[in-house]
Amino acid sequence: MTASSNFDIDETPILASLAAGAASAAPGSAQVREILAKARELKGISADEIVPLMNLRDPELIDELFASARFVKDAIYGKRLVIFAPLYVSNLCANECSYCAFRKRNKEVVRRALDQDEIARETRMLIDQGHKRILLVAGESYPTRGLDYILDAIDTVYSVKHGKGEIRRVNVNIAPLSVEEFARLKEAKIGTYQIFQETYHHETYRQVHTSGAKTNYQWRLQAIDRAMSAGIDDCGVGVLFGLADWRFDLLALMQHIGHLEATFGVGPHTISVPRIEPATGSSFATLPPHAVSDEDFRKIVAILRIAVPYTGIIMSTRENAEMRRETFALGVSQISGGSRTNPGGYAEAAREDMSQFSLGDHRTLDEVVQDVARLGYIPSFCTGCYRLGRTGADFMDIARPGEIKQHCDPNAASTFQEYLSDYASPEARALGEQAIAAFIDGMEPTPARYSRVMVDKVRQGKRDVYR
């Protein structure tokens, strides 16, 4: 498969849909309920069907939207919540992005790029927390060796065997690459390649990206095409909500997803939904031009969940604990925990003057795990699909008919048990053991049988048990 060289977001139908929605009366209950009934068939809904949902103002119909999102989330993902942590290796950047603390001309940020020994030290700290998967993040400028610096960092993370654990999967959020460079990234055995368009609105994009390679809208937009052409079939996309009208960006995101599905037969593996948060040296981030309210943010998560039911939705620690809790049921399937967004932040300390943005959730991973378990969810540290080749279209072939639970539920139980046995506080262990028992009791007979066997193996001392 070769990369598409001319894909672009067509704003005309998006603007027409937004104008029609603004000019019309609030969507009627019959229309909305017909759309929600279709959503419960777990096959997604179209961009045209999203428009009435974005314009909902009736509290009763909004509650029905949320109920439908909860139904879809439970049917596809059940009570699993995948856990990861970001590992920032550098805050060097050659771009000038008005909303980001890492922007090139920001004199208020202390710059740092970790060397490989420091990356190994950060990795050991993450392992000591109990993490098994990380998202490696760097500003869009690398010290001395360019992309080789990132490839060396990935090798370093994988090489660390520490205490009772190791990082089993490295996902990557770095600057767009050429097809040839993406092929090298694939050879490094990454999991998911993640990149945010930030905003799909062309004029807004131009206004907030004023210098550096990131000013090239199409080069960034077509990065996923190049990554998939290079064989990286698990890719993640995202919007930084607050730069442009969230309704525009949501419809443009669906257009992008449609392009990927038509071109490669599979859409994004994950969608991230960050809102702009304050950032050192950025007055723009403190007062974003299109700030998204909490109510609209819940709608964004719920609409995405029913529109692309088999795609993971990622919620970072930008959001506070309360918002994270609320969105678990509405559609979020992956969360970070115990996060730091500055290079060296795990081994040393969190520093606002080195961080990309302000965190909303400062809790430790153990505290997050306790909270998740109390809510009836199972924190999953699973990386089995990556290592067994269940990625891209192969993953979707299992996910769409609902068969993925046969694998993911037992893997969630065994990896959570591993966390409880090796890293959890006594309180988290007690809560977690109860949560695992309830989780397995609620499974169908076959995955329940696998789960009990796998969990028992972990309790007897075996590690990295997955299927």
Side-chain angles (χ1 to χ4, degrees):
M1 183 72 69
T2 58
S4 170
S5 60
N6 58 4
F7 171 65
D8 198 2
I9 294 296
D10 183 358
E11 294 191 357
T12 301
I14 298 173
L15 295 174
S17 293
L18 294 176
S24 64
S29 58
Q31 178 190 19
V32 170
R33 286 169 181 151
E34 182 179 351
I35 295 169
L36 296 181
K38 178 182 176 181
R40 287 172 176 256
E41 296 174 4
L42 309 181
K43 296 179 181 179
I45 60 174
S46 69
D48 288 342
E49 291 165 325
I50 284 174
V51 174
L53 303 182
M54 295 192 305
N55 293 323
L56 285 179
R57 293 186 289 274
D58 182 336
E60 181 178 345
L61 292 177
I62 292 174
D63 286 344
E64 291 184 30
L65 165 64
F66 291 167
S68 295
R70 286 191 288 269
F71 174 87
V72 174
K73 166 68 188 302
D74 189 61
I76 303 298
Y77 291 95
K79 295 298 184 180
R80 288 177 285 114
L81 278 175
V82 172
I83 305 289
F84 73 96
L87 171 54
Y88 280 73
V89 297
S90 169
N91 62 7
L92 309 183
C93 198
N95 299 314
E96 186 66 16
C97 309
S98 57
Y99 49 83
C100 182
F102 289 178
R103 60 189 178 85
K104 182 179 180 179
R105 292 198 288 269
N106 187 4
K107 303 301 183 183
E108 297 182 35
V109 163
V110 178
R111 304 292 176 174
R112 182 178 182 184
L114 303 182
D115 63 30
Q116 298 306 314
D117 287 339
E118 291 171 325
I119 292 170
R121 183 177 60 168
E122 289 285 282
T123 302
R124 288 191 291 271
M125 296 300 296
L126 285 165
I127 292 170
D128 281 339
Q129 285 189 30
H131 282 290
K132 295 292 184 285
R133 70 162 75 191
I134 63 145
L135 174 67
L136 189 144
V137 187
E140 297 194 4
S141 178
Y142 313 131
T144 59
R145 302 187 65 231
L147 178 60
D148 284 334
Y149 170 75
I150 298 297
L151 299 176
D152 288 347
I154 296 168
D155 286 343
T156 295
V157 173
Y158 278 138
S159 73
V160 175
K161 315 298 179 188
H162 175 64
K164 297 180 180 180
E166 61 190 338
I167 299 300
R168 295 172 183 157
R169 187 52 50 189
V170 178
N171 299 332
V172 176
N173 183 325
I174 60 171
L177 303 173
S178 67
V179 174
E180 293 74 23
E181 290 170 326
F182 274 125
R184 296 183 66 200
L185 196 62
K186 177 179 172 59
E187 290 173 0
K189 295 183 171 59
I190 68 161
T192 300
Y193 172 69
Q194 181 188 89
I195 187 170
F196 299 171
Q197 187 65 20
E198 315 297 9
T199 177
Y200 288 99
H201 190 264
H202 290 80
E203 179 58 23
T204 301
Y205 187 96
R206 185 191 65 79
Q207 291 174 358
V208 299
H209 302 106
T210 58
S211 68
K214 200 168 177 178
T215 58
N216 190 331
Y217 179 104
Q218 274 73 29
W219 178 252
R220 193 170 190 87
L221 179 66
Q222 295 159 14
I224 301 298
D225 288 61
R226 297 192 299 277
M228 288 189 171
S229 294
I232 301 175
D233 52 6
D234 272 4
C235 294
V237 298
V239 169
L240 183 56
F241 287 103
L243 292 176
D245 183 343
W246 68 266
R247 298 166 183 83
F248 178 97
D249 272 326
L250 195 57
L251 292 176
L253 175 61
M254 291 300 297
Q255 197 177 113
H256 191 188
I257 292 170
H259 159 75
L260 295 173
E261 291 176 340
T263 306
F264 298 97
V266 62
H269 187 67
T270 58
I271 299 171
S272 295
V273 290
R275 287 190 287 185
I276 295 178
E277 293 296 332
T280 298
S282 172
S283 58
F284 183 99
T286 304
L287 294 170
H290 295 274
V292 177
S293 69
D294 287 352
E295 182 72 6
D296 283 341
F297 190 58
R298 296 183 194 97
K299 286 167 66 176
I300 289 169
V301 174
I303 291 169
L304 281 173
R305 174 46 60 222
I306 67 175
V308 280
Y310 300 101
T311 297
I313 298 178
I314 298 177
M315 178 69 67
S316 77
T317 45
R318 285 175 181 260
E319 298 295 334
N320 62 35
E322 181 179 358
M323 179 56 70
R324 278 155 58 94
R325 291 185 195 106
E326 291 182 28
T327 55
F328 293 166
L330 294 177
V332 167
S333 58
Q334 296 190 24
I335 61 169
S336 52
S339 301
R340 298 290 183 268
T341 65
N342 62 292
Y346 295 107
E348 297 165 14
R351 287 182 54 172
E352 287 290 331
D353 63 352
M354 295 176 68
S355 297
Q356 187 177 24
F357 52 82
S358 297
L359 296 178
D361 187 347
H362 297 269
R363 295 173 299 170
T364 66
L365 177 60
D366 194 84
E367 290 169 331
V368 171
V369 164
Q370 290 183 48
D371 192 33
V372 168
R374 286 192 190 96
L375 292 170
Y377 294 94
I378 292 294
S380 173
F381 297 84
C382 176
T383 59
C385 283
Y386 293 117
R387 291 184 288 164
L388 290 171
R390 292 193 296 258
T391 59
D394 290 337
F395 175 85
M396 289 301 172
D397 286 345
I398 301 173
R400 287 192 176 103
E403 296 173 6
I404 197 65
K405 279 188 175 182
Q406 304 287 325
H407 304 277
C408 291
D409 283 1
N411 290 344
S414 67
T415 57
F416 187 32
Q417 182 62 57
E418 192 171 336
Y419 172 85
L420 296 176
S421 298
D422 294 345
Y423 302 102
S425 66
E427 184 175 5
R429 187 174 300 117
L431 286 167
E433 295 281 1
Q434 294 173 7
I436 288 176
F439 182 55
I440 295 176
D441 286 345
M443 291 181 190
E444 294 178 357
T446 298
R449 183 173 66 253
Y450 282 122
S451 296
R452 291 189 177 95
V453 170
M454 292 164 64
V455 167
D456 284 344
K457 286 181 178 179
V458 173
R459 288 171 177 161
Q460 293 165 17
K462 188 172 177 58
R463 294 293 176 265
D464 201 13
V465 180
Y466 63 95
R467 64 183 300 270

